[in-house]
Amino acid sequence: MAKIENIRNIAIIAHVDHGKTTLVDELLKQSGVFRDNQHVSERIMDSNDLEKERGITIFSKNTAINYNGTKINIIDTPGHADFGGEVERVLKMVDGVLLLVDAFEGPMPQTRFVLKKAMKLNLVPIVVINKVDRPDARAEAVYDEILDLFISLQIEDHQLDFPIIFTSAKEGYAIEKLTDKPVSVKPLLDAIVNNIPAPEGDIDGPFQCLVSSIDYDKYVGRIGVGRISRGSVSKNDEIMLCKKDGELIQSKVVSLYTFDGLKRKETEKAGLGDIIAVSGIEGIHIGDSICDVDSPDPVDFVDIDEPTISMIFSVNNSPLAGTEGKFVTSRHLRNRLFRELESNVSLHIEETGSMDSFKVLGRGELHLSILIETMRREGYEFQVSRPAVVIKDVDGVKHEPVEYLIIDVPEEFVGTVIKKVGARKGEMVSMEHGVQGSTRLEFRIPAKNLIGYYSEMLTDTKGTGILNHTFDAFEPLSPELLKRPRGSMIAFESGESTIYGLFNAQKRGTLFIDARVKVYTGMIVGENAKSEDLNINVCKLKQLTNVRASGSDEALRLINIRYLSLEQALEFISDDELVEVTPVNIRMRKKELNPNIRERAKKV
């Protein structure tokens, strides 16, 4: 067994918005990856358009820096629980993790989730308490909370002996003690080199590498990314691709890369401990192993947690179908969804009884909504059902996913939040008073009862509440809740909406559309103030006469139009409704467009 002393492999794990990507920015900048006069944008690693827009990391990404002769391979991971699969699949590539925690918020649901996964793989942690420059930072109290978290996970005693570094990623410094003078991120880099183990293994044994990520290049095609766990590999070597199902395919390494800064750097040879990218291997997928052609010995892939939420994706069959999308057929939809499986390891797809519909299972509403948004930007047109939880059969008893929910709210809204979550069958676990008049409420709640609550919570707390949740366990099925308290306003005539028609409609509830919008029979145009659905004519024109009365011709004004985002539309719809998704518009509709058929179905 040999140690490669000049390499360190680490992953940065944390809850969403605790500063991982900003910290990676500083590590790259201060290690000399960029020129002194080079313009560098914020959150360099968030290269995807959706990541930039939403300010969150969605995909795990590789980078590397050199520090005092040691190459540090860094993997930046997502912080949102819905993208936990992106974290799970990369942990086999590293020997240690930087557990990043906000100096004000402290450990959150995803902090527990990612730490539990890292400790299960016996990875060495370095705790980084970030944002210590905040006026409301409480770094010492957060350290105690982190220690409690480690103890609660019932880990080995030696894993409790972790180093701790205090940082401000925004200001670009790291310190070992809160009393130290901040200068640079050097103390963090020293901690990585001194505490994270060097890669260890058989340097002369037959080549072995687990593919943990897939990239794509328009010139060389699919690129497999993984860490060499044994031996070495050279460009043009013959290798054996060991598929997850046991199939063996002989192939060849056409191109071989390592990582240097934000780029892939072509190399002739790579060895034990290196994180490499290889091209030219047809049919390569995440979880496959690349091995010596004479010793096809695959590496075990990590267990990815099961999906908890499902939706039905189907071909758009509304009256406006095919007018706005580029890819509209069932073949297009099927090919795109199954292609997503190649890189999205926590996504599952099941066939349905219809050739035009597919059941897509993911880790949460955001996980699936990101897929939907990505597809519509690529030109796909389709429709999706209301999110539903995945029901699991355990010894003949139906089980459902239960979420661990944390809500931070000002004290004045505590009563309202407790009442609303309680009505959704949430059980309070704890309530703690924080600083500056905030209160942290922790609940366990069935995942199905959480669907649609986020926007309601924002309304109840006037936008000040912060909600986070993560999967906790599968438990026996609980009773269904009552349906949403308000019905839909539904267009019963096709055409173009008018101000006159909408002005009369807004008296009955909240509008979702403006004037001069194409509508069709069965399309949802607003929310009724009452519990039942309401058919309404929003294309109505004012009948003109020769008679005029004082004030009758004053301009009609529409007020309080509520334009729903994709996530809000998915939260709003009922079981008998769909969201129609196109590159241009997001519409809501009834599954059955004909109002007469809907009325007859109610009477049956």
Side-chain angles (χ1 to χ4, degrees), residues 239-398:
I239 55 92
M240 190 69 77
L241 178 64
C242 304
K243 305 289 289 180
K244 285 186 290 185
D245 59 8
E247 183 184 3
L248 301 178
I249 303 172
Q250 189 167 342
S251 191
K252 181 181 180 180
V253 176
V254 174
S255 299
L256 180 64
Y257 309 88
T258 56
F259 290 88
D260 185 16
L262 298 175
K263 300 177 182 177
R264 290 191 300 266
K265 182 180 179 182
E266 196 160 1
T267 184
E268 293 296 319
K269 185 176 182 179
L272 176 68
D274 279 323
I275 293 179
I276 60 169
V278 294
S279 68
I281 304 176
E282 191 172 339
I284 192 169
H285 290 96
I286 292 173
D288 296 343
S289 294
I290 314 168
C291 300
D292 185 272
V293 72
D294 297 321
S295 301
D297 180 19
V299 184
D300 291 334
F301 193 46
V302 293
D303 293 328
I304 303 294
D305 284 353
E306 300 174 53
T308 58
I309 295 288
S310 68
M311 290 184 195
I312 301 297
F313 284 50
S314 53
V315 173
N316 187 16
N317 60 5
S318 83
L320 298 178
T323 60
E324 297 172 351
K326 183 178 178 183
F327 306 109
V328 298
T329 67
S330 59
R331 179 177 60 85
H332 287 139
L333 181 61
R334 177 189 175 85
N335 291 344
R336 177 61 182 85
L337 287 174
F338 279 90
R339 190 168 76 245
E340 184 69 18
L341 291 179
E342 296 177 1
S343 58
N344 200 334
V345 294
S346 45
L347 194 78
H348 292 192
I349 296 175
E350 297 177 2
E351 302 278 2
T352 64
S354 169
M355 295 291 291
D356 293 338
S357 300
F358 306 90
K359 187 176 183 180
V360 182
L361 301 91
R363 293 281 277 268
E365 292 172 77
L366 183 61
H367 184 203
L368 294 180
S369 70
I370 288 292
L371 171 61
I372 295 168
E373 182 64 30
T374 301
M375 288 175 63
R376 74 181 283 255
R377 293 186 183 203
E378 293 172 355
Y380 287 85
E381 181 178 314
F382 54 100
Q383 55 193 18
V384 295
S385 69
R386 184 176 188 266
V389 297
V390 175
I391 304 300
K392 187 176 172 185
D393 194 287
V394 181
D395 299 326
V397 179
K398 290 183 177 180

Side-chain angles (χ1 to χ4, degrees), residues 336-484:
R336 177 61 182 85
L337 287 174
F338 279 90
R339 190 168 76 245
E340 184 69 18
L341 291 179
E342 296 177 1
S343 58
N344 200 334
V345 294
S346 45
L347 194 78
H348 292 192
I349 296 175
E350 297 177 2
E351 302 278 2
T352 64
S354 169
M355 295 291 291
D356 293 338
S357 300
F358 306 90
K359 187 176 183 180
V360 182
L361 301 91
R363 293 281 277 268
E365 292 172 77
L366 183 61
H367 184 203
L368 294 180
S369 70
I370 288 292
L371 171 61
I372 295 168
E373 182 64 30
T374 301
M375 288 175 63
R376 74 181 283 255
R377 293 186 183 203
E378 293 172 355
Y380 287 85
E381 181 178 314
F382 54 100
Q383 55 193 18
V384 295
S385 69
R386 184 176 188 266
V389 297
V390 175
I391 304 300
K392 187 176 172 185
D393 194 287
V394 181
D395 299 326
V397 179
K398 290 183 177 180
H399 282 58
E400 64 179 349
V402 173
E403 301 276 318
Y404 195 86
L405 172 68
I406 294 182
I407 304 177
D408 291 298
V409 291
E411 289 181 1
E412 60 189 291
F413 303 117
V414 167
T416 303
V417 170
I418 292 175
K419 180 181 177 182
K420 290 290 183 71
V421 176
R424 291 173 176 262
K425 308 302 180 186
E427 297 179 1
M428 182 178 286
V429 176
S430 74
M431 178 172 72
E432 297 178 3
H433 295 285
V435 296
Q436 297 183 341
S438 69
T439 300
R440 173 166 293 182
L441 305 170
E442 301 186 12
F443 303 88
R444 294 182 80 253
I445 182 172
K448 66 185 178 190
N449 299 344
L450 202 51
I451 295 173
Y453 177 62
Y454 179 66
S455 56
E456 186 180 329
M457 184 275 299
L458 287 179
T459 302
D460 290 341
T461 62
K462 298 181 180 178
T464 58
I466 300 173
L467 182 151
N468 292 285
H469 61 92
T470 188
F471 170 73
D472 191 40
F474 273 95
E475 295 185 357
L477 200 61
S478 62
E480 292 290 332
L481 285 179
L482 294 174
K483 295 183 179 179
R484 73 173 187 229

Side-chain angles (χ1 to χ4, degrees), residues 54-69:
R54 295 174 183 243
I56 60 173
T57 302
I58 297 172
F59 307 103
S60 293
K61 303 177 196 69
N62 295 71
T63 187
I65 61 176
N66 286 286
Y67 176 68
N68 291 344

Side-chain angles (χ1 to χ4, degrees), residues 97-111:
V97 293
L98 300 187
L99 179 70
L100 204 73
V101 182
D102 189 296
F104 171 70
E105 292 187 353
M108 298 291 279
Q110 181 71 353
T111 314

Side-chain angles (χ1 to χ4, degrees), residues 497-530:
S497 61
T498 64
I499 291 182
Y500 184 72
L502 291 171
F503 181 78
N504 292 319
Q506 74 180 358
K507 301 172 185 176
R508 311 296 294 273
T510 304
L511 294 175
F512 293 155
I513 63 168
D514 207 337
R516 293 181 291 279
V517 172
K518 287 183 180 179
V519 299
Y520 53 80
T521 303
M523 178 174 157
I524 297 170
V525 297
E527 181 181 40
N528 189 12
K530 297 182 179 180

